[in-house]
Amino acid sequence: MNYFAIGSGILAVLLVLTLCTTLVLHHQTEDIAQLLERAMQEPDRAQAVALAAEAKNTWENRYGLIATFIDHNELDEISTGFAEMDSWARLDDEDEFYCVCNRLADLIRHIYQAELPAYYNIL
């Protein structure tokens, strides 16, 4: 068999796998970021804390799959942020709570954006 065809086939498989992992990562992270954004926009504080807790539970459930694709340092920073968010929620400090929610939503979206197969991520 032709070496060029084998190499092209391997390259095609790698490209498809890269695109599939990117789509999976987007699906896994976007839901969490949207929950955090809804928590920030919620006028009722108790409901905002409940939405943030749901985001945390979703993060914990999906951590194993996301950890397959992403460097653990970024994931640890997000896990620490969720612990910080819980602390501010218990202390009834709304400003800090919403600030941490916003930072977590940005960090979670950054995970997906950093893995996009774009020229600025490759260079």
Side-chain angles (χ1 to χ4, degrees):
M1 186 168 204
N2 187 350
Y3 290 116
F4 180 75
I6 293 172
S8 297
I10 291 172
L11 185 61
V13 167
L14 291 175
L15 181 62
V16 168
L17 288 175
T18 299
L19 293 175
C20 287
T21 56
T22 302
L23 291 173
V24 167
L25 195 58
H26 176 67
H27 172 71
Q28 297 295 318
T29 57
E30 188 61 26
D31 295 344
I32 301 167
Q34 285 179 354
L35 282 170
L36 289 168
E37 286 180 351
R38 284 180 41 210
M40 288 184 295
Q41 296 168 356
E42 181 64 45
D44 180 27
R45 187 175 176 334
Q47 183 65 23
V49 171
L51 285 168
E54 184 180 345
K56 180 184 178 190
N57 289 338
T58 305
W59 171 257
E60 290 171 350
N61 291 337
R62 296 179 179 179
Y63 182 88
L65 180 62
I66 296 171
T68 306
F69 308 118
I70 303 298
D71 181 40
H72 292 272
N73 292 332
E74 290 183 64
L75 302 182
D76 291 342
E77 184 178 350
I78 293 171
S79 294
T80 302
F82 275 115
E84 183 182 351
M85 181 190 68
D86 285 344
S87 297
W88 291 121
R90 281 194 301 271
L91 292 173
D92 291 330
D93 190 336
E94 287 185 28
D95 292 336
E96 290 295 331
F97 173 77
Y98 291 126
C99 180
V100 172
C101 284
N102 187 35
R103 184 170 48 95
L104 284 171
D106 288 344
L107 285 171
I108 289 170
R109 284 218 167 91
H110 173 72
I111 286 176
Y112 166 68
Q113 291 168 353
E115 296 300 316
L116 283 174
Y119 73 93
Y120 49 84
N121 285 337
I122 297 171
L123 298 178

